[in-house]
Amino acid sequence: MSRKAAVVALTALAPISWGSTYAVTTEFLPPDRPLFTGLMRALPAGLLLLGITRTLPRGDWWWKSAVLGALNIGAFFPLLFLAAYRLPGGIAAVVGSVGPLFVIGLAALLLSERPTVRAVLTAVTAALGVSLVVLKAGAGFDLLGVLAGLAGSGSMAAGTVLTKRWGRPEGVGPLAMTGWQLTAGGLLIAPIAFLVEGAPPALDGRNLLGYLYLAVANTAIGYWLWFRGIGRLSATSVTLLGPLSPITAAVIGWIALGQALGPVQLLGMGIAFGATLFGQWAPRAKKLETFSITTKNGQNVSMDLVNGAVRR
C-alpha cells in the first residue's frame, strides 16, 4: 500500500465512524435532545484531547481555533440536528451530500485548487448514489430544514478549506488542533443547548455508554483522523470521502436495526462507493524529458521523452 493510500484509508475511518451516529443516537441516547447530544460529543472530547496534548493555542491561533471550532463543530452540529429533525433522514442525507461541491468551489477561491470537470462529476455522482440509498417514496419537504442542511454543509465545507489554508502552528500536531476546535465548538453549543433544551436529562448506564462512544471514537478519534487527512491530502480529495458516512449508516441499519436494503439501495451504494474511490484516484502526471541527438548529416534534433515514450 502506497503512503497516500494509507493516509486515505485512515482518513476514511472518520466518515465511516460518523455513519454510526444515527444508530447510536436512536438506540442508546435519550430522545429529543439533539443539542445536548452535540454538546456531549464535542466538549468532553475536546477537553480529553487538551488533557492529553497539554497544548493551548498561542497568538492569532486563539481566534483561528474559535473560527474553525465554530464552522466545523459549533455551527455544524446544531444545523445538522435542525435539518435532521425537520426533514426525513433521506432528504437530510441528500442535502448534506452536496458538501463536496461547496468544498470544490471554496478550494478554488481560497486554496487555488483548480476545479476540474472530473471532480465536479464525481461529487454529483456520489450525491446521486447517496440519494438512491436513502430517499424514500413520499419523503416530505421543509424549506427551513433544507436551508439548515445546506448551511450546515456550507459551514463544514468552509471549516475544511480554512483548516487546509491555515495549516497548523509549528510544532503543533493534529491531535492538539482537534482538541482546540472541539473545545471551542462545544463551548459555543453549551449555552444554546441549555437555553433551548433546558437542564441536562437524567442519564442511565446505556446513555452514558452511548455518549462515551460518541465522544471518544466517533468524535475525538474521528475528527483527529479527518483533520490529519486535511493536512496531508487536498481538500477536494478529503471531502469526496464524505459519502462513506451515509453508506455506513445504511449498512448498520441493515445489519443491526433490521432495515431493508432493496436493489435500488444496493445500486446507490455501489455508485456512491465507486465515486468515492474514483475521487481518490489521480491520473499520473506526465514526466517530460527533452534531449537532443545528432543525425548523420550533422543536424541536431530535439525530442521529448514522455513517460518513457519518444515524442517529436
Side-chain angles (χ1 to χ4, degrees), residues 199-214:
L203 303 177
D204 58 23
R206 187 177 183 85
N207 300 151
L208 292 173
L209 183 63
Y211 283 127
L212 179 64
Y213 167 79
L214 288 182

Side-chain angles (χ1 to χ4, degrees), residues 110-179:
L110 300 178
L111 302 177
S112 298
E113 289 186 11
R114 182 180 177 183
T116 63
V117 173
R118 176 177 167 276
V120 173
L121 289 178
T122 300
V124 171
T125 302
L128 172 63
V130 170
S131 69
L132 292 177
V133 173
V134 299
L135 282 182
K136 306 294 182 183
F141 177 87
D142 179 88
L143 179 60
L144 180 58
V146 170
L147 292 176
L150 290 174
S153 294
S155 178
M156 184 71 170
T160 297
V161 172
L162 285 177
T163 299
K164 181 69 177 180
R165 178 180 175 86
W166 288 340
R168 297 194 304 270
E170 184 177 355
V172 175
L175 201 64
M177 279 280 294
T178 305

Side-chain angles (χ1 to χ4, degrees), residues 17-306:
S17 73
W18 298 337
S20 66
T21 303
Y22 175 78
V24 173
T25 299
T26 57
E27 298 301 311
F28 287 85
L29 304 184
D32 302 325
R33 303 304 295 260
L35 291 174
F36 179 74
T37 296
L39 172 62
M40 293 296 288
R41 281 187 68 187
L43 191 55
L47 294 175
L48 172 65
L49 295 184
L50 288 182
I52 292 174
T53 60
R54 298 181 181 275
T55 303
L56 293 176
R58 293 182 180 178
D60 59 359
W61 273 101
W62 281 104
W63 70 263
K64 287 182 178 180
S65 298
V67 170
L68 294 177
L71 292 172
N72 287 318
I73 309 296
F76 174 65
F77 279 6
L79 289 168
L80 174 70
F81 287 128
L82 177 59
Y85 267 71
R86 297 190 66 94
L87 296 172
I91 295 288
V94 172
V95 171
S97 69
V98 304
L101 293 174
F102 289 147
V103 170
I104 291 171
L106 289 172
L109 291 174
L110 300 178
L111 302 177
S112 298
E113 289 186 11
R114 182 180 177 183
T116 63
V117 173
R118 176 177 167 276
V120 173
L121 289 178
T122 300
V124 171
T125 302
L128 172 63
V130 170
S131 69
L132 292 177
V133 173
V134 299
L135 282 182
K136 306 294 182 183
F141 177 87
D142 179 88
L143 179 60
L144 180 58
V146 170
L147 292 176
L150 290 174
S153 294
S155 178
M156 184 71 170
T160 297
V161 172
L162 285 177
T163 299
K164 181 69 177 180
R165 178 180 175 86
W166 288 340
R168 297 194 304 270
E170 184 177 355
V172 175
L175 201 64
M177 279 280 294
T178 305
W180 299 350
Q181 294 189 46
L182 289 173
T183 302
L187 291 174
L188 181 61
I189 295 173
I192 301 173
F194 289 117
L195 286 173
V196 174
E197 297 179 351
L203 303 177
D204 58 23
R206 187 177 183 85
N207 300 151
L208 292 173
L209 183 63
Y211 283 127
L212 179 64
Y213 167 79
L214 288 182
V216 177
N218 183 279
T219 304
I221 296 176
Y223 273 91
W224 166 63
L225 290 172
W226 186 253
F227 294 138
R228 176 181 179 272
I230 292 174
R232 303 186 182 195
L233 302 169
S234 70
T236 300
S237 179
V238 171
T239 195
L240 287 175
L241 293 170
L244 292 175
S245 182
I247 292 175
T248 303
V251 172
I252 292 175
W254 172 58
I255 294 175
L257 305 180
Q259 299 173 352
L261 283 179
V264 174
Q265 286 75 33
L266 293 174
L267 174 63
M269 290 174 66
I271 292 174
F273 187 68
T276 299
L277 291 179
F278 187 71
Q280 306 310 311
W281 174 80
R284 186 178 63 172
K286 291 183 177 181
K287 184 179 179 181
L288 177 65
E289 298 178 10
T290 302
F291 63 96
S292 299
I293 60 174
T294 302
T295 63
K296 291 182 179 180
N297 57 10
Q299 291 182 327
N300 289 326
V301 179
S302 296
M303 295 185 178
D304 296 332
L305 187 66
V306 181

